[in-house]
Amino acid sequence: MKIINQAKGMKAIIIASILITAIACKKEIKDIGVPSSKIDGITASWELKRCSMVDELSLIKETTSMGDFFTVKNSNKTQPNITFTYANNIGNYTVDTSNVLINFFQAPNGKWSFDNNDFPTLVTFIPTGGTEFSLPLGASIRTVDSVLKFRKPVYCGTELKFSYVLEFERK
């Protein structure tokens, strides 16, 4: 009988210890404040630092650097450099596409918009005199982020063949 009572007592002590530990270790939920504006995050000047082509049909997603297509001869300057502005609920962009072999942006300027200003997944571009197109974002963009990534998928019919990944750094 004494052993049974000791076992019940130990069981009660163990349960009490677990409850006290669980209560003591409970993480305090803190308010992180209002989410940062994604419009403010993209509104800046950006310089192309890396461009790669990803084989979407490959099991290991083979990647090839395309940086040479965006380097100005006799210079270490890369292009295109893009600037996003936003005023009066209208987004505008300008891009330097001179001497570029592959021009993803069609025209040196135009309008832009997010698919959702709070949680954007892609940017729609309307080039002046060009055809509207959208580029998926590689990640959400905030004012503290120094890298802006776009992925430009290329299809043959309905099949995704490859993608260009453009990585810009905030100037």
Side-chain angles (χ1 to χ4, degrees), residues 132-166:
E132 179 179 313
F133 66 96
S134 296
L135 294 177
L137 287 166
S140 188
I141 187 69
R142 303 165 299 170
T143 54
V144 297
D145 295 327
S146 61
V147 176
L148 172 63
K149 274 189 184 181
F150 289 115
R151 178 175 287 272
K152 178 165 178 37
V154 178
Y155 292 88
C156 183
T158 58
E159 184 178 32
L160 177 61
K161 293 288 188 177
F162 62 93
S163 295
Y164 291 105
V165 177
L166 304 166

Side-chain angles (χ1 to χ4, degrees), residues 21-88:
T21 303
I23 291 169
C25 292
K26 185 178 177 183
K27 291 187 176 185
E28 184 179 333
I29 298 174
K30 295 181 181 178
D31 185 7
I32 60 171
V34 178
S36 64
S37 167
K38 307 312 183 247
I39 291 172
D40 290 346
I42 200 170
T43 303
S45 292
W46 301 89
E47 181 177 14
L48 184 71
K49 288 296 183 178
R50 284 169 291 289
C51 179
S52 55
M53 189 170 74
V54 179
D55 182 354
E56 299 292 353
L57 298 176
S58 167
L59 290 175
I60 58 171
K61 305 291 184 205
E62 295 177 72
T63 302
T64 302
S65 174
M66 301 291 292
D68 291 343
F69 286 97
F70 299 102
T71 302
V72 178
K73 291 183 180 183
N74 303 320
S75 170
N76 61 358
K77 183 180 177 189
T78 56
Q79 293 180 19
N81 299 314
I82 191 164
T83 300
F84 292 94
T85 58
Y86 195 83
N88 301 319

